[in-house]
């Protein structure tokens, strides 16, 4: 489960009559860390609280016979699984407390040095009146308060369960009312990718004429510890990421769409107004929102995350193919330096990871790449349907085995779908079969 460490062998050792079975044919187990009820875990209330939070699990789901909760009956076989670890929303634990003043413990760790809990002092002040200048979140699926994504004056976590389901009808489709996505420019997912040595992040695209400032971490050599009271924050130190040298999102799309390679697939080349209208339409669509992917704060691609039920894809599926909360995404990689099979698998699995975290009711993620994408993936923009804009468009070398890449991260091909403009493979991944994002 640790990044940078080799994966343990998942195959279960068989004995007796199964000794002849080759290792690749043996059943796979679920890697777990067993928790012993001793030391700090011996208290009467700690293990039940951790179980309620989803941090630890037990297959013993009965009440038990003992009326004395000090015996620990039912709490002796607790464990943490890899799959469960990655499905826990970090907002349950990552929140900022007010600094302790006049502490009687001068040797205590300064509150600003906690690497796992970003706070507003970790980044330069944001300008609420400037589009794209929003407080940033670490894997936070919704917009945050001006005090910062993890600010908590009540000393309580900033996680909230999904709201009650209320239905509405759009274009004769009955569906749940969706929560608003994060704001323009807001980062909603950040994770260090050990195999690449860079931070991957996703933020909402912005119509601002300035490039949204990247306030998240980057893989540079700046100091990771700053003494308390120095007045210097990590975000205020000069770096490539926090220098406004990137073009704005509309200019990015203008450059990418006018690349002959991309234009041959998208047909969206033209003046800046063409891409600006595309982005404006995407920001005004109720069932999806546009996203810019970044490596160490540098934009590399454009994505759209959508709810399947209201998307055009939903019209080609039967009711058993998807549920109210299932999601999908479209993607475009525009920067030459960030293409390649491994990076594709990383950002693909990261988007799936976000879908699981964004709403625990999402059970499936669906994709529909063209079946003959061994050559190209054509993107058709339907001017009569504002829901259809972008589909997979990667360099031919990247898409040569694109369906294979999907299968490598857990997708499976269910069948083919005949769209008016393409024959697509319906690819699915289920929460139940998902294990962890590519590290």
């Amino acid at each position: 489960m640790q990044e940078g460490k080799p994966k343990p062998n998942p195959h279960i050792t068989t004995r007796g009559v199964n000794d002849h079975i080759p290792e690749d044919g043996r059943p796979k187990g679920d890697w777990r860390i067993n928790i012993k009820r001793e030391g700090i875990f011996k208290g009467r209330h700690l293990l039940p609280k951790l179980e309620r939070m989803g941090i630890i699990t037990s297959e013993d789901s009965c009440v038990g016979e003992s009326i004395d909760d000090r015996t620990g009956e039912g709490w002796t076989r607790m464990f943490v699984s890899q799959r469960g670890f990655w499905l826990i929303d970090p907002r349950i634990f990552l929140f900022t407390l007010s600094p302790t003043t006049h502490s009687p413990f001068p040797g205590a760790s300064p509150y600003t040095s906690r690497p796992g809990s970003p706070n507003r002092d970790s980044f330069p002040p944001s300008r609420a009146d400037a589009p794209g200048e929003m407080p940033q979140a670490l894997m936070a699926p919704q917009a945050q308060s001006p005090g910062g994504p993890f600010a908590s004056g009540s000393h309580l976590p900033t996680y909230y369960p999904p709201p009650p389901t209320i239905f509405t009808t759009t274009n004769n489709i009955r569906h749940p009312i969706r929560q608003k996505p994060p704001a323009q420019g807001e980062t909603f997912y950040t994770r260090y990718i050990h195999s690449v040595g860079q931070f991957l992040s996703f933020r909402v695209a912005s119509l601002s004429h300035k490039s949204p400032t990247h306030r998240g971490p980057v893989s540079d050599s700046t100091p990771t510890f700053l003494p308390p009271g120095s007045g210097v924050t990590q975000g205020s130190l000069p770096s490539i990421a926090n220098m406004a040298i990137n073009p704005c999102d509309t200019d990015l799309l203008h450059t990418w769409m006018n690349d002959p390679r991309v234009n041959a697939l998208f047909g969206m080349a033209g003046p800046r107004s063409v891409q600006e209208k595309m982005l404006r339409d995407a920001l005004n669509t109720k069932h999806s929102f546009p996203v810019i992917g970044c490596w160490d704060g540098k934009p590399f691609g454009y994505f759209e995350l959508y709810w399947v039920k209201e998307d055009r894809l939903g019209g080609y599926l039967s009711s058993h193919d998807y549920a109210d909360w299932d999601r999908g995404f479209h993607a475009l990689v525009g920067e030459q330096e960030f293409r390649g099979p491994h990076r594709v698998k990383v950002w693909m699995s990261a988007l799936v990871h976000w879908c699981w975290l964004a709403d625990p009711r999402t059970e499936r993620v669906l994709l529909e790449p063209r079946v003959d994408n061994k050559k190209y993936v054509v993107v058709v923009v339907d001017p009569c349907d504002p829901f259809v804009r972008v589909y997979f468009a990667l360099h031919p070398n990247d898409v040569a085995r694109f369906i294979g890449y999907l299968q490598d991260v857990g997708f499976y091909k269910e069948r083919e779908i005949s769209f008016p403009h393409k024959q697509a493979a319906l690819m699915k991944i289920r929460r139940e079969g998902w294990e962890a994002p590519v590290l």
Side-chain angles (χ1 to χ4, degrees):
M1 291 174 65
Q2 272 189 301
E3 293 187 9
K5 300 292 184 180
K7 278 189 174 182
N9 189 341
H11 297 283
I12 298 174
T13 302
T14 55
R15 295 181 177 87
V17 296
N18 293 327
D19 286 342
H20 66 282
I21 299 178
E23 183 176 275
D24 290 343
R26 296 177 181 177
K28 292 183 179 181
D30 184 20
W31 280 101
R32 299 176 176 180
I33 299 175
N34 294 316
I35 308 296
K36 294 183 178 180
R37 190 175 179 268
E38 58 185 39
I40 62 172
F41 297 113
K42 200 171 183 179
R44 290 189 297 173
H45 305 299
L46 181 57
L47 288 180
K49 287 182 178 179
L50 294 177
E51 194 269 341
R52 280 297 178 191
M53 296 173 71
I55 301 176
I56 62 176
T57 310
S58 173
E59 292 183 346
D60 182 4
S61 57
C62 65
V63 176
E65 298 180 10
S66 176
I67 59 174
D68 185 357
D69 57 7
R70 292 175 297 181
T71 64
E73 179 185 354
W75 301 98
T76 58
R77 298 176 64 86
M78 310 301 297
F79 63 89
V80 179
S81 68
Q82 175 183 243
R83 182 179 291 108
F85 170 81
W86 284 107
L87 291 177
I88 297 175
D89 194 307
R91 293 170 300 156
I92 298 175
F93 318 104
L94 299 180
F95 59 98
T96 302
L97 302 180
S98 301
T100 302
T101 57
H102 308 295
S103 172
F105 307 103
S109 174
Y111 76 99
T112 53
S113 68
R114 296 180 61 198
S117 299
N119 56 61
R120 67 183 307 176
D121 291 327
S122 299
F123 309 115
S126 62
R127 296 177 295 159
D129 58 333
E133 300 293 331
M134 299 294 295
Q136 307 300 295
L138 177 66
M139 292 188 276
Q142 66 235 23
Q144 306 294 340
S145 63
F150 303 104
S152 177
S154 62
H155 291 195
L156 296 175
T158 52
Y159 170 80
Y160 299 95
T165 302
I166 303 174
F167 281 86
T168 187
T169 301
T170 304
N171 297 327
N172 296 320
I173 300 172
R174 187 173 182 268
H175 62 88
I177 295 178
R178 310 299 185 181
Q179 280 191 292
K180 292 182 70 65
Q184 290 188 44
E186 184 175 344
T187 299
F188 58 88
Y189 185 98
T190 302
R191 186 164 59 85
Y192 180 70
I193 309 300
H194 186 274
S195 59
V196 177
Q198 294 178 320
F199 282 91
L200 171 67
S201 62
F202 295 102
R203 62 170 173 81
V204 180
S206 172
L207 281 170
S208 172
H209 295 296
K210 296 181 179 180
S211 173
T213 302
H214 177 73
R215 304 188 185 281
V218 294
S219 58
D220 55 24
S221 58
T222 56
T224 57
F225 172 78
L226 297 172
S230 64
V232 180
T233 63
Q234 189 76 27
S236 66
L237 295 173
S239 69
I240 294 298
N242 61 28
M243 296 173 63
I245 59 175
N246 291 322
C248 68
D249 292 347
T250 304
D251 288 342
L252 280 173
L253 291 175
H254 176 67
T255 300
W256 292 342
M257 296 300 175
N258 280 280
D259 185 320
R261 171 185 61 86
V262 176
N263 183 50
L265 306 175
F266 273 74
M268 288 294 290
R272 189 178 184 274
S273 58
V274 173
Q275 295 81 38
E276 182 175 357
K277 182 181 184 301
M278 183 189 80
L279 181 55
R280 196 177 297 275
D281 290 343
L283 288 167
N284 285 310
T285 301
K286 292 183 178 180
H287 80 285
S288 68
F289 65 95
V291 172
I292 298 294
C294 300
W295 288 104
D296 272 351
K298 182 176 180 180
F300 75 91
Y302 175 77
F303 307 84
E304 288 185 345
L305 294 159
Y306 63 86
W307 297 104
V308 171
K309 193 168 189 179
E310 300 99 279
D311 190 77
R312 184 175 183 176
L313 173 61
Y316 289 85
L317 305 177
S318 58
S319 58
H320 71 271
D321 285 324
Y322 64 91
D324 286 336
W325 305 99
D326 291 347
R327 278 189 134 118
F329 59 84
H330 307 309
L332 153 70
V333 175
E335 293 297 327
Q336 299 273 357
E337 63 181 296
F338 295 122
R339 291 203 303 265
H342 182 67
R343 287 187 186 265
V344 170
K345 295 176 188 178
V346 169
W347 59 251
M348 189 188 306
S349 69
L351 287 173
V352 172
H353 186 206
W354 177 83
C355 289
W356 303 146
L357 295 177
D359 197 306
R361 296 166 294 189
T362 298
E363 292 295 331
R364 285 167 289 197
V365 176
L366 285 65
L367 274 69
E368 23 84 2
R370 212 173 81 170
V371 293
D372 64 339
N373 65 3
K374 291 184 177 180
K375 295 181 179 179
Y376 298 99
V377 177
V378 175
V379 177
V380 175
V381 179
D382 186 350
C384 299
D385 190 343
F387 291 164
V388 181
R389 282 180 299 278
V390 238
Y391 291 87
F392 287 103
L394 305 175
H395 189 274
N397 291 338
D398 289 341
V399 302
R401 294 182 299 170
F402 189 74
I403 291 179
Y405 301 154
L406 289 171
Q407 293 171 332
D408 288 342
V409 299
F411 282 85
Y412 64 93
K413 179 180 176 180
E414 186 171 272
R415 66 174 190 276
E416 295 185 4
I417 301 175
S418 297
F419 287 98
H421 59 284
K422 68 175 181 179
Q423 186 73 7
L426 178 61
M427 306 296 295
K428 291 184 178 181
I429 186 170
R430 296 178 180 270
R431 181 187 289 264
E432 180 184 3
W434 184 85
E435 293 184 356
V438 175
L439 304 178

